[in-house]
Amino acid sequence: MLDFKQTDTNLHKNKADIVALSHLFYAKNWSLATSSNYSMVLSKDPLRVLITASGKDKQFLCENDFVTVDANGDLIDAQNSEHKQSAETLLHTAIAARPGVGAVLHTHSVASTVLSNKYCSKGHLEIQGFEMIKAISLDNMKVSHETCIKLPIFANSQDMVALSKLVDQNYDSLPKGFLIAGHGLYAWGKDLSEAKRHIEGYEFLFEVLLKSGF
Ligand SMILES: [Zn+2]
């Protein structure tokens, strides 16, 4: 079993890594207007998840802008009493509880918003024929440019309990990510760098599809 127990040094590094990623994602226009949440698993049993506090400007995110939550999304340790967890925390914890997941990232790009809205009635976005598909690591499957990824699209909702149950029920068929219609992308990985690669791969592919007239 992986040991996710954190020392203070590790916690400091984890926050610094997420802060750097936040500034990068903001610069790419994937996390504007305080949107997006980024989380990292601190321990699996019991589940402890470090996640960006609600309403933080991702351009200026700093190491004080985090909270720690449990499997129910309840606060364990807010560094600042004014810090609250995001409404979307339950989506992060539903994924973070799964074996092998070390980080969950959520972005609100223009491309993911447009494509998820356009293909919502179909239930998924089909992606095939691009070299960048190899950026996505799928369990028990060798991925090539010919791999057809059907990225699920769930209807947008403010009912995060219902949405997180939907994600949980469909988890085994999710290609390390999913879209919420008219809203954005969730992607995850065994650690922060793999989750980052999945977000970057998917966001690249979305832009390719948009520019190809899909
Ligand atoms: Zn969101």
Side-chain angles (χ1 to χ4, degrees):
M1 185 177 158
L2 291 171
D3 180 10
F4 285 101
K5 200 167 182 339
Q6 300 287 304
T7 62
D8 285 348
T9 309
N10 284 344
L11 191 60
H12 171 73
K13 183 182 185 318
N14 289 340
K15 289 179 180 176
D17 288 347
I18 294 176
V19 164
L21 176 139
S22 175
H23 298 168
L24 179 72
F25 282 11
Y26 179 89
K28 290 178 176 291
N29 291 339
W30 298 344
S31 297
L32 297 176
T34 75
S35 69
S36 301
N37 302 289
Y38 319 124
S39 68
M40 195 183 277
V41 176
L42 300 180
S43 72
K44 285 284 189 186
D45 188 17
L47 187 69
R48 295 289 181 263
V49 176
L50 178 73
I51 185 166
T52 44
S54 179
K56 296 299 173 187
D57 187 330
K58 302 306 183 296
Q59 182 180 16
F60 302 113
L61 195 79
C62 67
E63 290 183 33
N64 292 324
D65 294 338
F66 291 85
V67 293
T68 303
V69 297
D70 64 14
N72 299 317
D74 293 327
L75 286 182
I76 294 292
D77 169 34
Q79 294 179 343
N80 180 320
S81 59
E82 293 176 3
H83 283 175
K84 299 277 181 290
Q85 68 274 58
S86 154
E88 292 184 54
T89 297
L90 282 179
L91 293 181
H92 286 255
T93 54
I95 302 160
R98 295 291 183 147
V101 176
V104 183
L105 303 173
H106 173 45
T107 47
H108 284 211
S109 68
V110 170
S112 69
T113 301
V114 172
L115 289 170
S116 61
N117 217 26
K118 190 172 177 183
Y119 290 97
C120 182
S121 60
K122 201 176 172 188
H124 65 265
L125 178 66
E126 204 167 297
I127 312 170
Q128 188 174 28
F130 303 108
E131 185 70 12
M132 186 60 90
I133 289 173
K134 287 159 70 177
I136 313 300
S137 293
L138 300 179
D139 292 332
N140 309 316
M141 186 175 177
K142 183 159 171 44
V143 177
S144 79
H145 68 283
E146 292 177 327
T147 303
C148 180
I149 289 186
K150 290 183 176 176
L151 187 63
I153 305 172
F154 300 119
N156 198 12
S157 170
Q158 303 306 315
D159 184 346
M160 290 305 151
V161 174
L163 203 47
S164 64
K165 279 184 182 160
L166 198 60
V167 168
D168 196 49
Q169 286 161 3
N170 288 280
Y171 182 82
D172 290 338
S173 65
L174 300 176
K176 301 288 173 68
F178 61 85
L179 286 162
I180 304 178
H183 179 157
L185 168 70
Y186 274 83
W188 53 92
K190 63 185 179 193
D191 52 27
L192 190 66
S193 63
E194 187 176 83
K196 174 177 177 281
R197 196 182 75 229
H198 289 161
I199 288 279
E200 289 178 341
Y202 276 129
E203 292 288 3
F204 178 96
L205 290 161
F206 298 158
E207 287 186 36
V208 169
L209 291 177
L210 263 194
K211 287 179 179 172
S212 304
F214 277 76

